[in-house]
Amino acid sequence: MADVTDREADPAVPFDLASMRKQYRAEGLAETELAATPVEQFARWFKQAATEGGLFEPNAMVVSTADAEGRPGSRTVLLKHFDEQGFVFYTNYDSRKARELAENPHVSLLFPWHPMARQVIVTGVARRTGRDETAAYFRTRPHGSQLGAWASVQSAVVAGRDALDSAYAELAARYPEGEQVPVPPHWGGFRVVPRAVEFWQGRENRLHDRLRYVAEDGGGWRVERLSP
């Protein structure tokens, strides 16, 4: 078996992955510091991530789904709204993620706020947003993004970049800047209603703080600490 020296000498292995590690922050997360609900706690952390975290897109989250056979899929999506009813993102309803959610509505959302040594993991059930809510959000999108929602048959095989650019150019000619673009019938939102939300704070020596809110059947939340 190759030792570290051998791996470092091998140009196919540019880094010694086993030795790559960072020491996380000393301050942690205590049960007494938590808000009454996970959404309130998320709002606190999100504000810090957006203003102090040095993150490129603090609302970027990894959405993980699985099809009816349990085969998983993950991708990065932008969170566009959150409140006590859930976490909302938008997509093409013909995309892989949407097709999988139609078969299996259970979903996981991961916010990887690495510069802050924090993660938030939401698990719950996804349901489509209403068309009025979808249309209201669609109208806030830049004109180019509205056209892009029509031009892209998301997750489908495309002949090449030229085909995509051509489709967009045709739409741009049909709906020039300033003209209202209709909301695509195949495009809309999903609201993830949380059943559990874990707040992960990195600590020294890999003894991380992991506090998870779990929805109670009769309403309300209980908090449990998970071993790192």
Side-chain angles (χ1 to χ4, degrees), residues 49-132:
T51 59
E52 308 167 15
L55 295 160
F56 173 60
E57 287 185 318
N59 61 326
M61 58 185 183
V62 178
V63 177
S64 297
T65 56
D67 62 19
E69 284 71 46
R71 292 171 296 199
S74 297
R75 73 290 291 164
T76 302
V77 175
L78 296 180
L79 176 71
K80 288 301 178 180
H81 179 74
F82 69 90
D83 56 25
E84 292 293 341
Q85 282 66 55
F87 299 79
V88 178
F89 66 92
Y90 291 87
T91 188
N92 186 311
Y93 284 146
D94 295 325
S95 65
R96 176 185 172 183
K97 75 178 82 63
R99 295 196 307 269
E100 290 181 346
L101 289 173
E103 298 176 348
N104 177 2
H106 296 278
V107 63
S108 173
L109 311 177
L110 167 64
F111 294 86
W113 295 332
H114 299 311
M116 305 180 73
R118 286 177 174 176
Q119 300 180 78
V120 179
I121 305 168
V122 179
T123 54
V125 175
R127 297 283 185 265
R128 289 189 181 191
T129 59
R131 293 309 293 173
D132 288 346

Coordinates of all heavy atoms in Angstrom, one line a residue, residues 49-132:
A49 N -25.3 34.9 8.5 CA -24.7 34.4 7.3 C -24.7 35.4 6.1 O -23.7 35.6 5.4 CB -25.4 33.1 6.8
A50 N -25.8 36.2 6.0 CA -25.9 37.2 5.0 C -25.1 38.4 5.2 O -24.7 39.1 4.3 CB -27.4 37.5 4.8
T51 N -24.9 38.8 6.5 CA -24.2 40.0 6.8 C -22.8 39.9 7.3 O -22.0 40.8 7.1 CB -25.0 40.8 7.9 OG1 -25.2 40.0 9.1 CG2 -26.4 41.1 7.4
E52 N -22.5 38.7 7.9 CA -21.2 38.6 8.6 C -20.4 37.4 8.0 O -19.2 37.3 8.3 CB -21.3 38.4 10.1 CG -22.2 39.4 10.8 CD -22.5 39.0 12.2 OE1 -21.9 38.1 12.7 OE2 -23.4 39.6 12.8
G53 N -21.1 36.5 7.3 CA -20.5 35.2 7.0 C -19.5 35.2 5.8 O -18.7 34.2 5.7
G54 N -19.4 36.3 5.0 CA -18.5 36.3 3.9 C -18.9 35.2 2.9 O -18.0 34.7 2.1
L55 N -20.2 34.9 2.7 CA -20.7 33.9 1.8 C -21.1 34.5 0.5 O -21.7 35.6 0.5 CB -21.8 33.1 2.4 CG -21.5 32.3 3.7 CD1 -22.8 32.1 4.5 CD2 -20.8 31.0 3.3
F56 N -20.8 33.8 -0.6 CA -21.2 34.3 -1.9 C -22.7 34.3 -2.1 O -23.2 35.3 -2.5 CB -20.5 33.4 -3.0 CG -21.0 33.7 -4.4 CD1 -20.7 35.0 -5.0 CD2 -21.6 32.8 -5.2 CE1 -21.1 35.3 -6.2 CE2 -22.0 33.1 -6.5 CZ -21.8 34.3 -7.0
E57 N -23.3 33.2 -1.8 CA -24.8 33.2 -1.8 C -25.3 32.4 -0.6 O -25.4 31.2 -0.6 CB -25.2 32.4 -3.1 CG -25.1 33.2 -4.4 CD -25.6 32.5 -5.6 OE1 -25.5 31.3 -5.7 OE2 -26.3 33.2 -6.4
P58 N -25.6 33.2 0.5 CA -26.0 32.5 1.7 C -27.3 31.7 1.5 O -27.6 30.9 2.3 CB -26.1 33.7 2.7 CG -26.3 34.9 1.8 CD -25.5 34.6 0.6
N59 N -28.1 32.1 0.5 CA -29.4 31.4 0.3 C -29.2 30.2 -0.6 O -30.2 29.5 -0.9 CB -30.5 32.3 -0.2 CG -30.1 32.9 -1.6 OD1 -28.9 33.2 -1.9 ND2 -31.1 33.2 -2.4
A60 N -28.0 29.8 -1.0 CA -27.8 28.6 -1.7 C -27.9 27.4 -0.8 O -27.4 27.3 0.3 CB -26.4 28.6 -2.4
M61 N -28.7 26.4 -1.3 CA -28.9 25.2 -0.5 C -28.8 24.0 -1.4 O -29.2 24.0 -2.6 CB -30.3 25.2 0.2 CG -31.4 25.4 -0.7 SD -33.0 25.6 0.2 CE -34.2 25.6 -1.2
V62 N -28.4 22.9 -0.8 CA -28.4 21.6 -1.6 C -29.7 20.9 -1.3 O -30.0 20.6 -0.2 CB -27.2 20.7 -1.1 CG1 -27.2 19.4 -1.9 CG2 -25.9 21.4 -1.3
V63 N -30.4 20.7 -2.4 CA -31.7 20.0 -2.4 C -31.5 18.5 -2.8 O -31.1 18.3 -3.9 CB -32.8 20.7 -3.3 CG1 -34.1 19.9 -3.3 CG2 -33.0 22.1 -2.9
S64 N -31.8 17.6 -1.8 CA -31.7 16.2 -2.1 C -33.0 15.5 -2.1 O -33.9 15.7 -1.2 CB -30.8 15.6 -1.0 OG -29.5 16.1 -1.0
T65 N -33.2 14.8 -3.2 CA -34.5 14.1 -3.4 C -34.2 12.6 -3.7 O -33.0 12.2 -3.9 CB -35.3 14.7 -4.6 OG1 -34.4 14.7 -5.8 CG2 -35.7 16.1 -4.4
A66 N -35.2 11.8 -3.8 CA -35.0 10.4 -4.2 C -36.3 10.0 -5.0 O -37.4 10.5 -4.7 CB -34.9 9.5 -3.0
D67 N -36.1 9.1 -6.0 CA -37.2 8.7 -6.8 C -37.9 7.6 -6.1 O -37.6 7.2 -4.9 CB -36.8 8.3 -8.2 CG -35.8 7.1 -8.2 OD1 -35.7 6.4 -7.2 OD2 -35.1 6.9 -9.2
A68 N -38.9 7.0 -6.8 CA -39.8 6.0 -6.1 C -39.0 4.7 -5.7 O -39.3 4.0 -4.8 CB -40.9 5.6 -7.1
E69 N -37.8 4.5 -6.4 CA -37.0 3.4 -6.1 C -35.9 3.7 -5.1 O -35.1 2.9 -4.7 CB -36.3 2.8 -7.4 CG -37.2 2.0 -8.3 CD -38.2 2.9 -9.0 OE1 -37.9 3.9 -9.5 OE2 -39.4 2.5 -9.0
G70 N -35.9 4.9 -4.6 CA -34.9 5.3 -3.6 C -33.6 5.8 -4.1 O -32.7 6.0 -3.4
R71 N -33.5 6.0 -5.4 CA -32.2 6.5 -6.0 C -32.1 8.0 -5.8 O -33.0 8.7 -6.2 CB -32.2 6.1 -7.5 CG -32.1 4.6 -7.8 CD -32.2 4.3 -9.2 NE -33.6 4.7 -9.7 CZ -34.1 4.2 -10.8 NH1 -33.4 3.3 -11.6 NH2 -35.3 4.5 -11.2
P72 N -31.0 8.5 -5.2 CA -31.0 9.9 -4.8 C -30.4 10.8 -5.9 O -29.8 10.4 -6.8 CB -30.0 9.8 -3.6 CG -29.0 8.7 -4.0 CD -29.9 7.7 -4.6
G73 N -30.7 12.1 -5.7 CA -30.2 13.1 -6.5 C -30.1 14.4 -5.7 O -30.9 14.7 -4.8
S74 N -29.0 15.1 -6.0 CA -28.7 16.4 -5.2 C -28.3 17.5 -6.2 O -27.7 17.2 -7.2 CB -27.6 16.2 -4.2 OG -28.0 15.3 -3.2
R75 N -28.7 18.7 -5.9 CA -28.3 19.8 -6.7 C -28.4 21.1 -5.8 O -29.1 21.1 -4.8 CB -29.1 20.0 -8.0 CG -30.6 20.4 -7.8 CD -31.5 19.4 -7.1 NE -31.7 18.2 -7.9 CZ -32.2 17.1 -7.5 NH1 -32.4 16.9 -6.2 NH2 -32.4 16.1 -8.3
T76 N -27.8 22.2 -6.2 CA -27.8 23.4 -5.5 C -28.9 24.3 -6.1 O -29.0 24.5 -7.3 CB -26.5 24.2 -5.6 OG1 -25.5 23.3 -5.0 CG2 -26.5 25.5 -4.8
V77 N -29.8 24.8 -5.2 CA -30.9 25.7 -5.6 C -30.9 26.9 -4.6 O -30.4 26.8 -3.5 CB -32.2 24.9 -5.5 CG1 -33.4 25.7 -5.7 CG2 -32.2 23.7 -6.4
L78 N -31.5 28.0 -5.1 CA -31.6 29.2 -4.2 C -32.9 29.2 -3.5 O -34.0 29.1 -4.0 CB -31.4 30.4 -5.1 CG -30.1 30.6 -5.8 CD1 -30.1 31.9 -6.6 CD2 -28.9 30.6 -4.8
L79 N -32.8 29.4 -2.2 CA -34.0 29.6 -1.3 C -34.5 31.0 -1.6 O -33.8 32.0 -1.7 CB -33.6 29.6 0.2 CG -34.7 29.9 1.2 CD1 -35.7 28.7 1.2 CD2 -34.1 30.1 2.6
K80 N -35.8 31.1 -1.9 CA -36.4 32.4 -2.3 C -37.4 32.9 -1.2 O -37.8 34.1 -1.3 CB -37.1 32.2 -3.6 CG -36.2 32.1 -4.8 CD -35.3 33.3 -4.9 CE -34.3 33.2 -6.0 NZ -33.4 34.4 -6.1
H81 N -37.8 32.1 -0.2 CA -38.7 32.6 0.8 C -38.7 31.6 1.9 O -38.6 30.4 1.7 CB -40.1 32.8 0.3 CG -41.1 33.3 1.3 ND1 -41.1 34.6 1.8 CD2 -42.1 32.7 2.0 CE1 -42.0 34.7 2.7 NE2 -42.6 33.6 2.8
F82 N -38.9 32.1 3.1 CA -39.1 31.1 4.3 C -40.0 31.9 5.3 O -39.9 33.1 5.5 CB -37.8 30.6 4.9 CG -37.0 31.7 5.6 CD1 -37.2 31.9 7.0 CD2 -36.0 32.4 5.0 CE1 -36.4 32.8 7.7 CE2 -35.3 33.3 5.7 CZ -35.5 33.5 7.0
D83 N -40.8 31.1 5.9 CA -41.6 31.5 7.1 C -42.1 30.3 7.8 O -41.5 29.2 7.6 CB -42.8 32.4 6.6 CG -43.7 31.6 5.6 OD1 -43.7 30.4 5.6 OD2 -44.4 32.3 4.8
E84 N -43.0 30.5 8.8 CA -43.4 29.3 9.6 C -44.1 28.2 8.8 O -44.2 27.1 9.3 CB -44.3 29.8 10.7 CG -43.6 30.7 11.8 CD -42.5 30.0 12.6 OE1 -42.6 28.7 12.6 OE2 -41.7 30.7 13.2
Q85 N -44.5 28.5 7.6 CA -45.1 27.5 6.8 C -44.1 26.7 6.0 O -44.4 25.6 5.4 CB -46.1 28.1 5.8 CG -47.4 28.5 6.4 CD -47.3 29.6 7.4 OE1 -46.8 30.7 7.1 NE2 -47.8 29.4 8.6
G86 N -42.9 27.1 5.9 CA -41.9 26.3 5.2 C -40.8 27.1 4.4 O -40.8 28.4 4.5
F87 N -40.0 26.4 3.6 CA -38.9 26.9 2.8 C -39.3 26.8 1.4 O -39.6 25.7 0.9 CB -37.6 26.2 3.2 CG -37.2 26.3 4.6 CD1 -37.9 25.6 5.6 CD2 -36.3 27.2 5.0 CE1 -37.5 25.7 7.0 CE2 -35.9 27.4 6.4 CZ -36.5 26.6 7.3
V88 N -39.2 27.9 0.6 CA -39.7 27.9 -0.8 C -38.5 28.0 -1.8 O -37.7 28.9 -1.6 CB -40.7 29.0 -1.0 CG1 -41.2 29.0 -2.4 CG2 -41.9 28.8 0.0
F89 N -38.6 27.2 -2.8 CA -37.7 27.4 -4.0 C -38.5 27.2 -5.3 O -39.6 26.6 -5.2 CB -36.5 26.4 -3.9 CG -36.8 25.0 -4.1 CD1 -36.8 24.3 -5.3 CD2 -37.1 24.2 -2.9 CE1 -37.1 23.0 -5.4 CE2 -37.4 22.9 -3.1 CZ -37.4 22.2 -4.3
Y90 N -38.0 27.6 -6.4 CA -38.7 27.5 -7.7 C -37.9 26.7 -8.7 O -36.6 26.7 -8.6 CB -39.0 28.9 -8.2 CG -40.0 29.6 -7.4 CD1 -39.6 30.4 -6.3 CD2 -41.3 29.6 -7.7 CE1 -40.5 31.0 -5.5 CE2 -42.3 30.2 -6.9 CZ -41.8 31.0 -5.8 OH -42.8 31.6 -5.0
T91 N -38.6 26.0 -9.6 CA -37.9 25.2 -10.6 C -38.9 24.9 -11.7 O -40.0 25.2 -11.7 CB -37.5 23.9 -9.9 OG1 -36.7 23.1 -10.8 CG2 -38.7 23.0 -9.5
N92 N -38.3 24.2 -12.7 CA -39.1 23.7 -13.8 C -39.8 22.4 -13.3 O -39.1 21.5 -12.8 CB -38.2 23.4 -15.0 CG -39.0 23.0 -16.3 OD1 -39.8 22.1 -16.2 ND2 -38.6 23.6 -17.4
Y93 N -41.1 22.3 -13.5 CA -41.8 21.1 -13.0 C -41.5 19.8 -13.8 O -42.0 18.7 -13.4 CB -43.3 21.4 -12.9 CG -43.8 22.2 -11.8 CD1 -44.8 23.1 -11.9 CD2 -43.2 22.2 -10.5 CE1 -45.3 23.9 -10.9 CE2 -43.6 23.0 -9.5 CZ -44.6 23.9 -9.7 OH -45.1 24.7 -8.6
D94 N -40.8 20.0 -14.9 CA -40.4 18.8 -15.7 C -39.0 18.4 -15.4 O -38.5 17.5 -16.0 CB -40.5 19.1 -17.2 CG -42.0 19.4 -17.7 OD1 -42.9 18.7 -17.1 OD2 -42.2 20.2 -18.6
S95 N -38.3 19.1 -14.5 CA -37.0 18.8 -14.1 C -36.9 17.5 -13.3 O -37.9 17.0 -12.9 CB -36.4 19.9 -13.3 OG -37.0 20.0 -12.0
R96 N -35.7 17.0 -13.2 CA -35.5 15.7 -12.5 C -36.0 15.9 -11.0 O -36.7 15.0 -10.5 CB -34.0 15.3 -12.5 CG -33.8 14.0 -11.7 CD -32.3 13.7 -11.6 NE -32.1 12.6 -10.6 CZ -30.9 12.1 -10.3 NH1 -29.8 12.6 -10.9 NH2 -30.8 11.1 -9.4
K97 N -35.6 17.0 -10.4 CA -36.0 17.1 -9.0 C -37.5 17.2 -8.8 O -38.0 16.6 -7.9 CB -35.3 18.4 -8.4 CG -35.9 19.7 -8.8 CD -35.3 20.9 -8.1 CE -34.0 21.3 -8.8 NZ -34.2 21.8 -10.2
A98 N -38.2 17.9 -9.7 CA -39.6 17.9 -9.6 C -40.3 16.6 -9.9 O -41.3 16.2 -9.3 CB -40.2 19.0 -10.6
R99 N -39.8 15.9 -10.9 CA -40.3 14.5 -11.2 C -40.2 13.6 -10.0 O -41.0 12.8 -9.6 CB -39.7 13.9 -12.4 CG -40.0 14.7 -13.7 CD -39.6 13.8 -14.9 NE -38.3 13.3 -14.9 CZ -37.2 13.9 -15.4 NH1 -37.4 15.1 -16.0 NH2 -36.0 13.4 -15.4
E100 N -39.0 13.7 -9.3 CA -38.7 12.9 -8.2 C -39.6 13.3 -7.0 O -40.2 12.4 -6.3 CB -37.3 12.9 -7.8 CG -36.4 12.2 -8.8 CD -34.9 12.3 -8.4 OE1 -34.5 13.0 -7.5 OE2 -34.1 11.5 -9.0
L101 N -39.9 14.6 -6.8 CA -40.8 15.0 -5.8 C -42.2 14.6 -6.0 O -43.0 14.4 -5.0 CB -40.7 16.5 -5.6 CG -39.4 17.0 -5.0 CD1 -39.3 18.6 -5.0 CD2 -39.2 16.5 -3.6
A102 N -42.6 14.5 -7.3 CA -43.9 14.0 -7.6 C -44.1 12.5 -7.2 O -45.2 12.1 -6.8 CB -44.2 14.1 -9.1
E103 N -43.0 11.7 -7.3 CA -43.0 10.3 -6.9 C -42.8 10.1 -5.4 O -43.4 9.3 -4.8 CB -41.9 9.6 -7.6 CG -42.0 9.6 -9.1 CD -40.9 8.9 -9.8 OE1 -39.9 8.6 -9.1 OE2 -41.0 8.6 -11.0
N104 N -42.0 11.0 -4.8 CA -41.6 10.9 -3.4 C -41.3 12.3 -2.9 O -40.3 12.9 -3.1 CB -40.3 10.1 -3.3 CG -39.8 9.9 -1.9 OD1 -40.4 10.4 -0.9 ND2 -38.6 9.3 -1.7
P105 N -42.3 12.8 -2.1 CA -42.2 14.2 -1.7 C -41.3 14.5 -0.5 O -41.1 15.7 -0.2 CB -43.7 14.6 -1.3 CG -44.2 13.2 -0.8 CD -43.6 12.2 -1.7
H106 N -40.7 13.5 0.0 CA -39.7 13.7 1.1 C -38.4 14.3 0.6 O -37.9 13.8 -0.4 CB -39.5 12.4 1.8 CG -40.7 11.8 2.5 ND1 -41.1 12.3 3.7 CD2 -41.6 10.9 2.1 CE1 -42.2 11.6 4.0 NE2 -42.5 10.8 3.1
V107 N -37.9 15.3 1.3 CA -36.8 16.1 0.7 C -35.9 16.5 1.9 O -36.4 16.7 3.0 CB -37.3 17.3 -0.1 CG1 -38.1 18.2 0.8 CG2 -36.2 18.0 -0.8
S108 N -34.6 16.8 1.5 CA -33.7 17.3 2.5 C -33.1 18.6 1.9 O -32.7 18.6 0.7 CB -32.6 16.3 2.8 OG -31.6 16.9 3.6
L109 N -33.0 19.6 2.7 CA -32.3 20.9 2.3 C -31.1 21.1 3.2 O -31.2 21.0 4.4 CB -33.2 22.1 2.5 CG -34.6 22.0 2.0 CD1 -35.4 23.2 2.3 CD2 -34.6 21.8 0.5
L110 N -29.9 21.3 2.6 CA -28.7 21.5 3.4 C -28.1 22.9 3.0 O -27.9 23.2 1.9 CB -27.7 20.5 3.0 CG -26.2 20.7 3.5 CD1 -26.2 20.8 5.0 CD2 -25.3 19.7 2.9
F111 N -27.9 23.8 4.0 CA -27.3 25.1 3.9 C -25.9 24.9 4.4 O -25.6 24.8 5.6 CB -28.0 26.1 4.7 CG -29.4 26.4 4.2 CD1 -30.5 25.6 4.7 CD2 -29.7 27.4 3.3 CE1 -31.8 25.9 4.2 CE2 -31.0 27.7 2.9 CZ -32.0 26.9 3.3
P112 N -24.9 24.9 3.5 CA -23.5 24.6 3.8 C -22.7 25.9 4.1 O -22.0 26.4 3.2 CB -22.9 23.9 2.6 CG -23.7 24.5 1.5 CD -25.1 24.9 2.0
W113 N -22.9 26.5 5.2 CA -22.2 27.8 5.5 C -20.8 27.5 6.1 O -20.5 27.8 7.3 CB -23.1 28.6 6.5 CG -24.4 29.0 5.9 CD1 -24.7 29.2 4.6 CD2 -25.6 29.2 6.6 NE1 -26.0 29.5 4.4 CE2 -26.6 29.6 5.7 CE3 -26.0 29.2 8.0 CZ2 -28.0 29.9 6.0 CZ3 -27.3 29.5 8.3 CH2 -28.3 29.8 7.3
H114 N -19.9 27.0 5.3 CA -18.6 26.6 5.7 C -17.7 27.6 6.3 O -17.1 27.4 7.3 CB -17.9 25.9 4.5 CG -18.6 24.7 4.0 ND1 -19.0 23.7 4.8 CD2 -18.9 24.4 2.7 CE1 -19.6 22.7 4.0 NE2 -19.6 23.1 2.7
P115 N -17.7 28.9 5.8 CA -16.9 29.9 6.4 C -17.2 30.2 7.8 O -16.4 30.7 8.6 CB -17.1 31.1 5.5 CG -17.5 30.6 4.2 CD -18.3 29.4 4.5
M116 N -18.4 29.9 8.2 CA -18.9 30.1 9.6 C -18.9 28.8 10.4 O -19.3 28.8 11.6 CB -20.3 30.7 9.6 CG -20.5 31.9 8.8 SD -22.2 32.6 8.8 CE -22.2 33.2 10.5
A117 N -18.4 27.7 9.8 CA -18.4 26.4 10.4 C -19.8 26.0 10.9 O -20.0 25.5 12.0 CB -17.4 26.4 11.6
R118 N -20.8 26.3 10.0 CA -22.2 26.0 10.3 C -22.9 25.3 9.2 O -22.5 25.5 8.0 CB -22.9 27.3 10.6 CG -22.6 28.0 12.0 CD -23.4 29.3 12.1 NE -23.2 29.8 13.5 CZ -23.7 31.0 13.9 NH1 -24.4 31.7 13.1 NH2 -23.4 31.4 15.2
Q119 N -23.8 24.5 9.6 CA -24.7 23.9 8.6 C -26.1 23.9 9.2 O -26.3 23.8 10.4 CB -24.4 22.4 8.3 CG -23.0 22.2 7.8 CD -22.7 20.7 7.6 OE1 -23.2 20.1 6.6 NE2 -22.0 20.1 8.5
V120 N -27.1 24.0 8.3 CA -28.5 23.8 8.7 C -29.1 22.7 7.8 O -28.9 22.8 6.6 CB -29.3 25.1 8.6 CG1 -30.8 24.8 9.0 CG2 -28.7 26.2 9.5
I121 N -29.7 21.7 8.4 CA -30.3 20.6 7.6 C -31.8 20.6 7.9 O -32.2 20.4 9.0 CB -29.6 19.3 7.9 CG1 -28.1 19.4 7.7 CG2 -30.2 18.2 7.1 CD1 -27.3 18.2 8.3
V122 N -32.6 20.7 6.8 CA -34.0 20.7 6.9 C -34.5 19.4 6.3 O -34.2 19.2 5.1 CB -34.7 21.9 6.3 CG1 -36.2 21.9 6.4 CG2 -34.1 23.2 6.8
T123 N -35.3 18.6 7.0 CA -36.0 17.5 6.3 C -37.5 17.7 6.5 O -38.0 18.1 7.5 CB -35.5 16.2 7.0 OG1 -35.8 16.2 8.4 CG2 -34.1 15.9 6.7
G124 N -38.2 17.4 5.4 CA -39.6 17.6 5.4 C -40.3 17.1 4.1 O -39.7 16.2 3.4
V125 N -41.4 17.6 3.9 CA -42.2 17.2 2.7 C -42.5 18.4 1.8 O -42.8 19.5 2.3 CB -43.6 16.6 3.2 CG1 -44.5 16.3 2.0 CG2 -43.3 15.3 4.0
A126 N -42.3 18.2 0.5 CA -42.4 19.3 -0.4 C -43.8 19.3 -1.1 O -44.3 18.2 -1.5 CB -41.4 19.2 -1.5
R127 N -44.4 20.4 -1.2 CA -45.7 20.6 -1.9 C -45.6 21.8 -2.9 O -44.9 22.7 -2.6 CB -46.8 20.8 -0.9 CG -47.1 19.6 0.0 CD -47.8 18.5 -0.7 NE -48.2 17.4 0.2 CZ -47.4 16.3 0.4 NH1 -46.3 16.2 -0.2 NH2 -47.8 15.4 1.3
R128 N -46.3 21.7 -4.0 CA -46.2 22.8 -5.0 C -46.9 24.1 -4.4 O -47.9 24.0 -3.7 CB -46.9 22.4 -6.3 CG -46.2 21.4 -7.1 CD -46.9 21.3 -8.5 NE -46.2 20.3 -9.3 CZ -46.4 20.1 -10.6 NH1 -47.3 20.8 -11.2 NH2 -45.7 19.2 -11.3
T129 N -46.3 25.2 -4.7 CA -47.0 26.5 -4.3 C -48.2 26.7 -5.2 O -48.2 26.2 -6.3 CB -46.0 27.6 -4.4 OG1 -45.5 27.7 -5.7 CG2 -44.8 27.4 -3.5
G130 N -49.1 27.6 -4.8 CA -50.2 28.0 -5.7 C -49.8 28.8 -6.8 O -48.7 29.5 -6.8
R131 N -50.6 28.8 -7.9 CA -50.2 29.6 -9.1 C -50.1 31.1 -8.9 O -49.3 31.8 -9.5 CB -51.2 29.3 -10.3 CG -51.1 27.9 -10.8 CD -49.7 27.4 -11.1 NE -49.1 28.1 -12.2 CZ -47.9 28.0 -12.6 NH1 -47.1 27.2 -12.0 NH2 -47.4 28.6 -13.7
D132 N -51.0 31.6 -8.0 CA -50.9 33.0 -7.7 C -49.6 33.4 -7.0 O -48.9 34.4 -7.4 CB -52.0 33.5 -6.8 CG -53.4 33.5 -7.5 OD1 -53.4 33.4 -8.7 OD2 -54.4 33.5 -6.8

